[in-house]
């Protein structure tokens, strides 16, 4: 039987890989046969996260996506070890919650730096590796999945920095898809609703739970191992003619024509 999501021999770079969506994505892609280049700021957590994976197929590097020199070094090492970065899951992100009137410039900038500029850094640098291989004749040079959020499509209270960054990710996705399509490079985004991770503990607390669930037609929050199936689809050959799109994975909490 043909497995349309087989990733054997392909190297996938995942940022924010030590926990949450990034970690679950790494584990699923590993099971699908992918080699992995895993990035996170927390070296200890990253080491624990990768302990159960095949060390021969994993390159784990601790550092920040806001550091261009670090990202360049990771992509160079990954290309030397695995033959290139064949897919990028641009997942690293943080939150700094505050109402607009109380948000400090530091809170604003910290989220923009990681969630938008960091996404650009990884997209530009990993994308350059893909373009280089395309120009050398590689017919499947790569695919990029940028992790966005419903916050970037409909706004969110108390997180104007996060909403602005995630909206910006949608623009990055569409522009890169148009610019790099001629090289055969696909660029898409996934906009999640409420995923049951540490980042959404407050939203899923007793105080807010019923309010959020009332807006989700499927009536439940999204589990991480379920959420990452969309990532596996988007980086796999199964989505070979999809680019410049925003896939909503939210149980119907945001429905548009």
């Amino acid at each position: 039987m043909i497995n349309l999501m087989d990733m054997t021999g392909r190297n996938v770079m995942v940022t924010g890989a030590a926990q949450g969506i990034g970690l679950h994505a790494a584990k699923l892609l590993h099971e699908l046969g992918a080699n992995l280049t895993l990035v996170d700021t927390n070296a200890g957590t990253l080491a624990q996260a990768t302990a159960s994976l095949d060390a021969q197929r994993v390159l784990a590097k601790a550092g920040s996506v806001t550091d261009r020199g670090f990202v360049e070094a990771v992509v160079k090492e990954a290309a030397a070890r695995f033959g290139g970065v064949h897919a990028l899951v641009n997942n690293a992100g943080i939150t700094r919650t505050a109402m607009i009137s109380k948000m400090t410039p530091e809170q604003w900038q910290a989220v923009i730096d990681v969630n938008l500029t960091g996404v650009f850094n990884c997209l530009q640098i990993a994308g350059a590796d893909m373009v280089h291989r395309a120009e050398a004749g590689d017919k499947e040079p790569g695919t990029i999945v940028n992790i966005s959020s419903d916050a970037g499509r409909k706004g969110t209270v108390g997180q104007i920095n996060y909403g602005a960054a995630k909206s910006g990710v949608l623009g990055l996705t569409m522009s890169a898809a148009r610019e790099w399509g001629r090289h055969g490079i696909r660029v898409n985004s996934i906009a999640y609703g409420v995923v049951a991770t540490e980042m959404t503990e407050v939203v899923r607390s007793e105080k807010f739970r019923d309010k959020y669930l009332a807006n989700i037609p499927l009536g439940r929050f999204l589990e991480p191992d379920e959420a990452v199936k969309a990532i596996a689809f988007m980086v796999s050959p199964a989505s070979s003619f999809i680019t410049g799109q925003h896939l909503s994975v939210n149980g119907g909490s945001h429905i548009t024509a």
Side-chain angles (χ1 to χ4, degrees):
M1 181 180 294
I2 297 175
N3 179 4
L4 294 177
M5 293 171 66
D6 181 20
M7 295 294 293
T8 302
R10 306 292 282 177
N11 173 38
V12 185
M13 179 174 170
V14 182
T15 66
Q19 60 185 342
I21 290 174
L23 176 57
H24 282 80
K27 289 182 175 180
L28 177 56
L29 292 166
H30 184 267
E31 290 181 10
L32 291 170
N35 299 317
L36 299 173
T37 299
L38 305 179
V39 173
D40 201 277
T41 55
N42 191 319
T45 305
L46 185 60
Q48 293 176 5
T50 59
S52 63
L53 305 178
D54 181 358
Q56 298 300 314
R57 291 165 49 204
V58 176
L59 172 64
K61 307 297 288 186
S64 174
V65 296
T66 64
D67 182 345
R68 288 185 60 85
F70 166 74
V71 176
E72 288 170 349
V74 170
V75 169
K76 183 177 180 180
E77 185 174 349
R81 180 167 172 179
F82 298 124
V85 175
H86 305 110
L88 167 65
V89 180
N90 236 338
N91 170 71
I94 63 172
T95 57
R96 297 290 185 269
T97 303
M99 301 300 283
I100 297 171
S101 60
K102 296 182 178 180
M103 182 168 289
T104 66
E106 292 76 18
Q107 288 173 317
W108 167 268
Q109 198 62 52
V111 171
I112 297 300
D113 286 347
V114 175
N115 296 31
L116 186 57
T117 304
V119 169
F120 170 72
N121 288 341
C122 294
L123 179 145
Q124 185 186 50
I125 295 166
D129 174 73
M130 298 176 188
V131 170
H132 175 74
R133 284 185 285 105
E135 292 176 340
D138 191 338
K139 300 301 182 183
E140 296 180 355
T143 181
I144 297 171
V145 175
N146 299 318
I147 304 304
S148 185
S149 168
D150 277 357
R153 305 189 79 177
K154 62 181 182 180
T156 181
V157 175
Q159 292 185 325
I160 193 171
N161 47 6
Y162 187 79
K166 290 303 186 180
S167 184
V169 166
L170 303 180
L172 285 178
T173 297
M174 293 183 288
S175 295
R178 290 186 181 279
E179 194 166 322
W180 286 342
R182 63 192 176 93
H183 297 294
I185 298 168
R186 299 185 298 108
V187 188
N188 295 287
S189 70
I190 296 176
Y192 287 112
V194 180
V195 185
T197 64
E198 292 182 7
M199 191 177 287
T200 64
E201 283 183 353
V202 173
V203 169
R204 294 181 291 107
S205 68
E206 186 175 346
K207 181 177 180 180
F208 299 107
R209 177 183 177 85
D210 290 345
K211 174 184 175 181
Y212 278 89
L213 285 176
N215 290 319
I216 303 174
L218 290 185
R220 59 184 176 84
F221 296 125
L222 179 62
E223 294 298 325
D225 59 347
E226 184 179 22
V228 299
K229 294 175 183 177
I231 293 175
F233 168 70
M234 279 299 196
V235 301
S236 77
S239 59
S240 60
F241 204 63
I242 300 175
T243 195
Q245 304 303 307
H246 313 308
L247 177 61
S248 293
V249 183
N250 54 30
S253 61
H254 182 64
I255 298 175
T256 60

